[in-house]
Amino acid sequence: MTNSHGHGGEHGYGTAGGYGAVPPQNPYGQAPYEQNPYAQPVPPQPYPGRPVPPQPYAGRPVPPQPYAAAPEPYAAQPPAAAPQFAAPPHSQPQQPQPHSQPQPGAFPGFPGPLPRRSRLAVLLQFLLQWIYAPLWIVGLVILFAVLILSDYNGGGPSSDGWLKVNRTFIPPRRLRAELTGRPEDWERYVTPIIRRRIAAAEAKHAAGGGEVQADLGREVSVGLADRLYRGLGAAGVVRIGERHGWHGVLPSGPNTVHIRLVRRFPAPAGLNAPSPHDPPAAPGTPWGPQPTRSALLLPFVFLLQIVYVPVYGLATFWNDRPEPDHWERWGARWTVGPRAFRAEFTDSPAAWDRHIRRILQRDTKRELARTADSYARLTTPDGTYFRRIQLHRATYRGAGAHRALSIAAEDGWTLDPAYTPDPANSLRLCRREQR
């Protein structure tokens, strides 16, 4: 057989291997190409000498191709006919989406942007709010004064939304987003709000807040009303929250247009605390007795708190502090309760013990009044759940946190493993129960 690589038949027409001749056997064996494991079985090549049907798109006969393959290595094909250079379908590069718009389907189930409000209605509300908002506040003050003077004991409305005039107020920063309706303007407006609320929620967790889960971790959440992200959509809010490690919860119930971001923190790795049966802690240490106030100053504190406690309450009514027990921490320093007055005034260990037992008895009775069904979501598969109470610093100031822990252990209370111990401010106790 003549070798097609010879100089005489390299490009000859009508010769062996040229156009118009009978196609020869494959000179490279039965498997000229590496077999594709995912391709269908290829039928064998036709026998030599069998006539080849004409190709409808060319003026010369060619052997039938069982599958799309590259042309013969020595055939002079036009450049446009080379299939190996043809771009496969759907290989065109897609244009990048704007950063402010979420990818379709990235957060399935979360509503998209809400219908845009009329520009005229937005402008009228923005102009008129400077008139009706002050009148609304004055009306609320007058209403509260009338209710207090008339000794009103009736039930209030089911929702206090009508008390918060800020829900109908359009700040100037949101006016641009309302007028343009562009998602990037809405994202520029709502992003600082989400950051502030996330920072406050994480500070709340650091101060002992959050909802305890069945695995002893704690979950904190922030919610946003639809007026804050109307043109961005809930999916855009979730996308912003995921940048900070938070994830969204699908809206359900009546608040289908409100979005909630949550983050779950694991339980503390270990509790650095003494055992209830350890020797008493030294005075001045975090677990030991704390200095009490002077017996001469205490009566003045007891009387003056009647004046400054209501003022403090009014001053902080609209302020959402990150510490969930800030009032208890503040009250332990600047107020004294009627029950703790005798114990702190005498600074007697027996008086402090009686005070601690009295508070423990009260809180235990209140906690045991809850049914086991109320812990259904926090019950483990084996039917175990935890009852929880909290003792504040004012309860055990002169006796010490370790003494309060020892007294609580008599009734089966131990330190709650879901919280990092903070004896300088409060003791969080738990008791295991079985359904």
Side-chain angles (χ1 to χ4, degrees):
M1 180 181 296
T2 305
N3 190 344
S4 61
H5 288 279
H7 294 284
E10 183 177 1
H11 297 288
Y13 292 86
T15 60
Y19 291 111
V22 178
Q25 292 277 357
N26 185 0
Y28 301 102
Q30 297 300 322
Y33 306 105
E34 182 180 357
Q35 297 295 329
N36 186 355
Y38 304 102
Q40 298 294 332
V42 181
Q45 296 289 340
Y47 293 101
R50 175 176 293 184
V52 179
Q55 188 181 22
Y57 305 103
R60 54 184 181 274
V62 296
Q65 300 292 332
Y67 57 89
E72 296 183 13
Y74 309 114
Q77 296 287 347
Q84 61 269 28
F85 298 107
H90 309 292
S91 64
Q92 296 295 332
Q94 299 184 3
Q95 298 296 329
Q97 298 292 334
H99 184 66
S100 59
Q101 297 182 0
Q103 295 291 336
F107 305 101
F110 293 97
L114 298 176
R116 181 179 175 183
R117 296 181 59 192
S118 170
R119 293 185 177 180
L120 179 60
V122 171
L123 288 175
L124 287 177
Q125 180 178 351
F126 180 77
L127 295 176
L128 295 178
Q129 68 187 3
W130 306 101
I131 301 176
Y132 70 75
L135 296 178
W136 192 333
I137 297 175
V138 172
L140 291 178
V141 173
I142 296 176
L143 178 61
F144 286 145
V146 171
L147 294 179
I148 293 175
L149 295 177
S150 62
D151 195 16
Y152 177 73
N153 295 323
S158 58
S159 175
D160 61 348
W162 60 278
L163 296 174
K164 299 181 179 180
V165 65
N166 61 314
R167 294 185 177 181
T168 63
F169 200 84
I170 300 179
R173 295 174 300 171
R174 198 174 81 207
L175 179 63
R176 175 182 177 86
E178 292 274 10
L179 294 177
T180 62
R182 294 196 296 261
E184 54 269 24
D185 292 338
W186 279 100
E187 181 173 353
R188 192 178 301 112
Y189 163 72
V190 75
T191 297
I193 299 177
I194 297 176
R195 289 176 179 173
R196 289 195 301 267
R197 297 193 180 186
I198 285 178
E202 292 178 350
K204 178 180 178 180
H205 169 268
E211 187 177 0
V212 181
Q213 305 299 309
D215 59 353
L216 300 181
R218 282 181 288 143
E219 184 180 272
V220 291
S221 63
V222 297
L224 281 87
D226 57 335
R227 68 178 183 274
L228 301 178
Y229 60 88
R230 175 181 299 274
L232 183 62
V237 174
V238 175
R239 177 169 48 86
I240 298 174
E242 288 191 349
R243 300 175 188 171
H244 302 275
W246 291 59
H247 64 277
V249 176
L250 289 173
S252 60
N255 294 330
T256 55
V257 294
H258 289 59
I259 189 63
R260 190 165 65 97
L261 300 175
V262 300
R263 182 176 181 182
R264 179 172 295 186
F265 293 86
L271 300 181
N272 186 15
S275 171
H277 307 290
D278 288 346
T285 60
W287 290 92
Q290 303 298 318
T292 56
R293 288 167 288 193
S294 172
L296 297 177
L297 179 64
L298 205 59
F300 293 99
V301 173
F302 184 79
L303 294 176
L304 291 177
Q305 69 184 5
I306 302 176
V307 178
Y308 62 72
V309 168
V311 174
Y312 173 84
L314 292 175
T316 59
F317 179 76
W318 300 99
N319 189 8
D320 185 14
R321 295 183 177 274
E323 298 87 0
D325 59 346
H326 183 82
W327 176 264
E328 287 77 10
R329 296 186 180 190
W330 184 86
R333 292 171 172 83
W334 302 103
T335 62
V336 56
R339 296 183 180 92
F341 182 84
R342 178 180 177 83
E344 189 168 358
F345 185 79
T346 61
D347 199 19
S348 168
W352 280 111
D353 285 0
R354 287 194 300 269
H355 179 57
I356 294 174
R357 295 180 189 277
R358 184 167 54 246
I359 298 299
L360 272 173
Q361 183 180 5
R362 181 199 66 183
D363 294 350
T364 300
K365 182 179 179 180
R366 184 183 303 167
E367 179 65 19
L368 293 179
R370 296 182 57 183
T371 61
D373 294 336
S374 61
Y375 297 91
R377 193 177 60 82
L378 302 179
T379 302
T380 58
D382 60 352
T384 300
Y385 64 95
F386 288 93
R387 295 187 181 272
R388 291 182 166 86
I389 62 174
Q390 183 178 5
L391 298 181
H392 301 289
R393 177 186 177 185
T395 303
Y396 56 83
R397 180 201 300 267
H402 184 262
R403 178 56 183 168
L405 182 61
S406 301
I407 296 176
E410 298 174 2
D411 294 332
W413 296 101
T414 60
L415 286 176
D416 196 335
Y419 299 89
T420 302
D422 186 19
N425 295 290
S426 64
L427 280 181
R428 296 183 179 269
L429 308 175
C430 70
R431 190 165 75 180
R432 187 186 300 269
E433 299 282 352
Q434 191 76 23
R435 297 193 66 176

